[in-house]
Amino acid sequence: MFTHAIVRTPCEGFADGITTACELGVPDYSLMLKQHAAYVDTLRGLGLTVDVLPAEPDFPDAHFVEDVAVVTPEVAVITNPGATERNGEKERIVPILEERRPLVRIEAPGTVDGGDVLQVERQFFIGVSGRTNEAGAKQLGDILTAYGYTCTLVPVREGLHLKCGVTSLGGSDLLITQEFAAREEFSGYTLHVVDPDEEYAANALYINGTVITPAGFPSTRKILDGLGRNVVELDMTETRKMDGALTCLSLRLS
Ligand code: CIR
């Protein structure tokens, strides 16, 4: 059960962050704020206490708080984000996390982005991607293994992060792209494969029995309805323009 989430207000210059999605158009700040507020309201509606951290004008991607830490009930791991422009964001999350958990850090040359880290019960999948290198993935694996978790490294060959292609729907159910569904790392799970036209919707956020999904992906919605899940759709257009998705906008704590 998640009880708490940490988010950060997007800064006015959020469109200066890193993106590969220029074809989706110019990001709109007031719409971004509206969509972010709806995200926060949804988490609160699901019973979570949400801490909203202030915008960080020096770091236009800093509202993607998921990337700077990996939090379990036992520990908060401050990652070492793989994009140079974003690396300094990690210090800005320390004050709130050190109030709540013992902290450990991923040390250079290791790099990790939290978007590459998928927890499914006691199992962690750690993507090795353009942002998370093998040294970082192994450091994180060693830290989590010491707390009794099982860790598996997964090469990310397409997309920004592991969780762009696979997320948890609770229990052993995963929402997953065709590409990841073919990998043996996920063979023991119940895989719900998104339509190739709807790959963005593979990033869903599962909170205490409810699946939050981006609006506008009807065939993924059908999959979720078929599973009998409570579903909330959120407009994610402005986050998507900056290569972000649902999970990256929060850190969830139990
Ligand atoms: C970046 O390229 O780092 C940001 N514009 C998007 C980060 C998205 N984070 C995530 O999926 N965990």
Side-chain angles (χ1 to χ4, degrees):
M1 278 290 274
F2 292 118
T3 55
H4 202 112
I6 298 169
V7 304
R8 186 182 292 289
T9 303
C11 72
E12 201 166 347
F14 85 108
D16 296 330
I18 307 167
T19 187
T20 58
C22 301
E23 78 286 356
L24 296 178
V26 180
D28 177 324
Y29 185 52
S30 62
L31 188 53
M32 178 69 225
L33 287 180
K34 211 170 132 197
Q35 293 179 351
H36 193 264
Y39 180 89
V40 172
D41 284 350
T42 300
L43 296 181
R44 288 190 173 134
L46 294 172
L48 273 58
T49 303
V50 183
D51 277 315
V52 182
L53 302 176
E56 288 282 4
D58 295 343
F59 293 104
D61 279 318
H63 54 295
F64 296 123
V65 285
E66 173 180 69
D67 290 322
V68 292
V70 175
V71 185
T72 74
E74 303 86 0
V75 68
V77 182
I78 306 298
T79 65
N80 190 28
T84 318
E85 312 87 302
R86 297 197 58 194
N87 191 268
E89 290 173 25
K90 65 188 180 207
E91 301 309 332
R92 313 289 169 108
I93 203 74
V94 165
I96 190 157
L97 288 178
E98 71 186 355
E99 288 171 11
R100 296 189 158 78
R101 300 284 193 275
L103 297 190
V104 296
R105 287 174 180 267
I106 301 298
E107 304 288 352
T111 62
V112 172
D113 272 18
D116 280 314
V117 183
L118 170 65
Q119 180 173 7
V120 186
E121 301 186 318
R122 301 293 300 174
Q123 164 79 50
F124 277 90
F125 294 100
I126 306 172
V128 178
S129 69
R131 299 287 178 88
T132 299
N133 63 19
E134 201 164 317
K138 283 185 176 156
Q139 278 181 46
L140 180 62
D142 288 346
I143 293 163
L144 296 171
T145 302
Y147 289 102
Y149 296 96
T150 305
C151 296
T152 305
L153 270 50
V154 184
V156 177
R157 301 183 189 119
E158 282 173 14
L160 179 60
H161 289 128
L162 177 68
K163 278 188 285 191
C164 297
V166 51
T167 49
S168 169
L169 294 176
S172 62
D173 289 300
L174 300 179
L175 192 60
I176 193 163
T177 59
Q178 276 182 357
E179 208 265 318
F180 281 113
R183 305 285 191 88
E184 64 171 17
E185 291 91 337
F186 301 111
S187 59
Y189 291 83
T190 308
L191 305 183
H192 305 282
V193 182
V194 297
D195 190 285
D197 294 340
E198 297 200 0
E199 287 200 338
Y200 181 73
N203 185 284
L205 180 55
Y206 181 77
I207 301 283
N208 305 340
T210 291
V211 183
I212 307 174
T213 184
F217 297 88
S219 88
T220 306
R221 174 71 200 236
K222 219 178 249 174
I223 293 173
L224 299 173
D225 287 342
L227 287 170
R229 294 291 200 277
N230 184 36
V231 177
V232 176
E233 289 190 20
L234 286 180
D235 285 323
M236 292 295 293
T237 57
E238 304 316 290
T239 295
R240 189 180 182 193
K241 287 174 183 172
M242 299 310 297
D243 284 347
L246 283 159
T247 61
C248 30
L249 292 177
S250 59
L251 284 166
R252 285 76 55 190
L253 282 64
S254 41

